[in-house]
Amino acid sequence: MNGRAFVLSSLAAALVIGGALAVFRPATGESEDVRPGYWIEKLQAPERVFDIVIVGDSRAYRGVDPALLPGRALNFGFSGAALDPHYVHTAVQKLRRGGSLVVAVSPHSLTARAREANAFDALQARHAADLALTRWASPAYAWTRPYTMSQVAALARGRAALLAPASPAETFHSGGFVASARPSVASAPETARVYAEMLEAHPVGEREIMDLTYLLTGYLAGGYRVVVLRLPVSPDVLEAERLDSAWLREQIVGTGLEWFECPPGDTYDGSHLTADSAREVTGALGRFLAE
Amino acid sequence: MEWGRTMLFNSLEFLLFGAVFFALWPAFRRLPRGRFVFLIVASFLFFGWAKWWYPLLLIGNGLIDYAAGLAIERHPDRRKQWLILSIVGNLLTLGVFKYAGFAVTNLNHMLGWFGAGGLPVPDIILPIGISFTTFTSMSYTIDVYRGVIKPTRDPLLFFAFLALFPPLIAGPIQRARALLPQLETLTPPSSDHTIRGMRWFAVGFFKKTVLADNLAPFVAAAYAAPEPASSGSTWWVIAALYAFQIYFDFSGYSDIARGLGSWIGLDLAPNFEQPYHAVGFREFWQRWHISLSSWFRDYVYIPLGGSRTHPGRALWVTFLLSGLWHGANWTFVAWGGMHAALLQIERWTRWPDRVWRPLGWVLTIVALLLSWALFRSNSILQFGQIAARMLDPRTWDVAGITAVGGKALLWLGLCVVFEFALRWRGWELRPVRRWEPAMIGGLLATAVYLRGEGGAFIYFQF
């Protein structure tokens, strides 16, 4: 066999075997890792067209469904996003003049840690060709999703069940909302511990809230409506975060910004709302915004 | 505007880049000058995909070395000054980008002892692969100075050598004496080249994405825990996982680089020869990261006197510098020191020749695992805690091994099997068998569907 034939037949074999593995790939839920294009679509959403833009971290994009809000809305939440001037300014660019900016505050989004390890900045810093390539190739990731060990074991046992469509654990909506179908939990001690440790090292206090209100009142003065809210978390996570919601509300309202009091909701990990709770919270927010 | 991400071999960007490059290469290869221009442009695109200014750094350093090479030949009376200029230029680049932050942090610690205020720590982006490109460039000028090679007058040939993309950011570190003549007389890759390239490419891909990347999360979780696991057995298993992770990660990159080189028509220097089969540390360093260890041997160890005049001094200096080359952290320096100590003991006692070979192998592996635990530690303090557990037999228990998890042990077992399968089969040079393309195709498909979460190659940071 000569070199060219060897390479071509090897690549052909890779395509056949890879194709078979793609067909038999598990039909379970998607995750962020296999949808890199989703975040780029969100980042590249058109400017000056939305009536409402929601900003915040993963709690925001899992907690507010823009499809249920009045007018044209975009959930501009990103994992680990810091509520810093650069991020908020990018979000405001998406709003039409006089639109509503909904700010979902979480203690982590105000920390120095979030500002330093800013995933939003890292995404935005990628050059246009890189972003375009990733966005364009995004569907290929869904077809080349890796198998887990248990899925390999099931496949080796000839489990045709892998082919059966399963309910996705997460659904990525076009408006920027990620709905989780995971069951709710009453408490999440591990999440609470992680938050407690993180906020011990990076505390959030008056200074951080002042920075945020200073930033947001600028947009208020610029003719935008600014609504601040804090999405529900489990009681143990709330306690671990040591940020008093009543005090926070006082600070926000005291500067002329609007505060939206979220109704209670269930989380699937102590920190992020289940899809059902997210829709309930969004419904209430929609009524508040329509007032 | 900032630039993008590093173009990893295991990325879609590289897949497209490689497809375009190898589609056009046969046409450009025939052009005497055009092939160098094509190689340089492609290599700069590959390197500059992460940050647009990375190629400028390469051009800056390269111009100094290109000019120094010519000047050494033209002005023999001033050859030493030109060599010094080249070495200082290279080391200055490395020092500023890689070690400035480390140096200022340590200086601030010392100033703190005397109650003085600290200096601002420079926040400088470390260009990927800077240690590799700097060493490749330096070896050219030193070899010209020594008269081992003639300097090239052709800047295109020089930059095609320096910027050649397959080994650019994680080696193997190339020598001008081996690569320049190959680039000058490039011929179409032979059938053997093409087949070997495919084998290296597929095996390297499998090593990286399936083996190394599936081991990575277990190791990362163990080292990220706020309190180290209490069982010494756990840490021996974690050290073994890391030993295979770093080996398959790095040798996987080297295999892919050599495979791509083969398709271009070049024989790139080998980097690994079954290092975990070594008995003793002299043998280990003849099998591990061969291109770096031979670089340090030729340009540091031997000039310092080698084994003849000042063997101890030469050994310690070489390995401490080798440790520092790996990163700006005291753990790497200590790791280099640990290997120097192990080699010093070996030189005094000649124990690998005196003990039963299987026992010698076990002793080598045990010491290597301890050294990898140090290499991977975030600080000397963390290594102290881990080593205290690893070396305390009272903390060795079966529960500690199972605590790592069945999946981790399964991956460890697969790594051992894969490593021995490669050795027994002599896979690189054997004749082609009819079913081999199916096996290669299987490796490539598996590399996609069983890929782990490791991401970037470990050696990119060095």
Side-chain angles (χ1 to χ4, degrees), chain B residues 204-411:
Chain B
F205 231 78
F206 183 85
K207 280 179 177 178
K208 163 63 185 162
T209 63
V210 178
L211 299 178
D213 285 357
N214 275 298
L215 294 175
F218 303 111
V219 177
Y223 278 92
E227 274 296 309
S230 58
S231 166
S233 314
T234 303
W235 283 106
W236 283 110
V237 177
I238 295 294
L241 291 171
Y242 185 62
F244 275 111
Q245 186 203 339
I246 192 167
Y247 170 47
F248 285 132
D249 190 284
F250 191 21
S251 71
Y253 184 94
S254 295
D255 288 341
I256 297 171
R258 293 186 78 197
L260 297 169
S262 263
W263 287 339
I264 294 172
L266 302 167
D267 283 314
L268 300 185
N271 228 7
F272 293 90
E273 280 182 20
Q274 311 268 328
Y276 294 142
H277 292 83
V279 175
F281 298 95
R282 191 164 171 270
E283 190 183 338
F284 173 76
W285 280 104
Q286 288 167 348
R287 292 164 171 263
W288 177 272
H289 203 170
I290 299 165
S291 65
L292 178 74
S293 47
S294 61
W295 196 102
F296 270 105
R297 182 197 63 208
D298 293 348
Y299 301 120
V300 180
Y301 181 72
I302 292 174
L304 283 172
S307 55
R308 285 186 222 153
T309 48
H310 301 288
R313 187 187 70 179
L315 179 75
W316 278 87
V317 171
T318 302
F319 272 87
L320 290 174
L321 286 176
S322 167
L324 194 61
W325 176 90
H326 282 84
N329 192 324
W330 288 112
T331 52
F332 294 122
V333 180
W335 174 79
M338 186 173 176
H339 273 272
L342 291 166
L343 281 158
Q344 186 80 70
I345 292 166
E346 187 173 317
R347 179 176 284 167
W348 284 333
T349 60
R350 300 192 180 283
W351 65 264
D353 301 328
R354 294 179 182 178
V355 301
W356 183 46
R357 201 166 163 81
L359 177 63
W361 177 78
V362 171
L363 291 173
T364 309
I365 291 294
V366 166
L368 276 176
L369 293 184
L370 205 57
S371 81
W372 285 132
L374 168 58
F375 190 88
R376 178 61 179 80
S377 292
N378 301 318
S379 64
I380 299 279
L381 185 69
Q382 187 185 36
F383 173 68
Q385 294 172 324
I386 292 167
R389 288 157 174 79
M390 289 175 84
L391 297 174
D392 182 356
R394 290 169 301 175
T395 68
W396 298 350
D397 51 13
V398 178
I401 296 173
T402 53
V404 183
K407 283 182 189 171
L409 295 174
L410 181 63
W411 279 114

Side-chain angles (χ1 to χ4, degrees), chain A residues 160-245:
Chain A
L162 281 173
L163 282 168
S167 304
E170 286 180 322
T171 311
F172 291 70
H173 291 261
S174 58
F177 170 57
V178 179
S180 174
R182 297 189 184 97
S184 64
V185 294
S187 66
E190 182 56 23
T191 311
R193 185 189 65 76
V194 170
Y195 274 108
E197 281 177 12
M198 187 270 297
L199 290 164
E200 175 83 36
H202 305 280
V204 171
E206 206 165 335
R207 169 80 187 270
E208 284 72 21
I209 304 301
M210 272 176 66
D211 285 347
L212 178 70
T213 52
Y214 179 74
L215 171 69
L216 297 180
T217 47
Y219 293 111
L220 191 65
Y224 294 98
R225 182 180 181 190
V226 183
V227 177
V228 182
L229 57 87
R230 186 181 187 188
L231 288 158
V233 291
S234 66
D236 49 355
V237 170
L238 187 67
E239 192 184 336
E241 289 185 334
R242 288 178 294 183
L243 180 63
D244 182 18
S245 288

Side-chain angles (χ1 to χ4, degrees), chain A residues 1-3 6-7 9-11 13-14 17-18 21-22 125-127 129-130 133-134 137 143-147 149 152, chain B residues 1-5 12-13 16 49 191 194-195 198 407 410-411 432 436-438 440-442 444-445 448-451:
Chain A
M1 194 181 288
N2 69 29
F6 183 83
V7 170
S9 46
S10 297
L11 292 178
I17 299 167
L21 288 170
R126 285 163 58 180
H127 61 83
D130 187 3
L133 189 58
T134 310
W143 283 93
T144 57
R145 194 166 50 227
Y147 283 76
M149 292 289 272
V152 171
Chain B
M1 183 176 71
E2 284 288 337
W3 215 229
R5 298 176 296 175
L12 179 74
E13 291 94 319
L16 293 174
W49 189 257
S191 202
T194 312
I195 291 170
M198 191 73 217
K407 283 182 189 171
L410 181 63
W411 279 114
V432 176
E436 193 175 336
I440 297 279
L444 288 174
V448 173
Y449 284 99
L450 282 186
R451 68 183 187 274

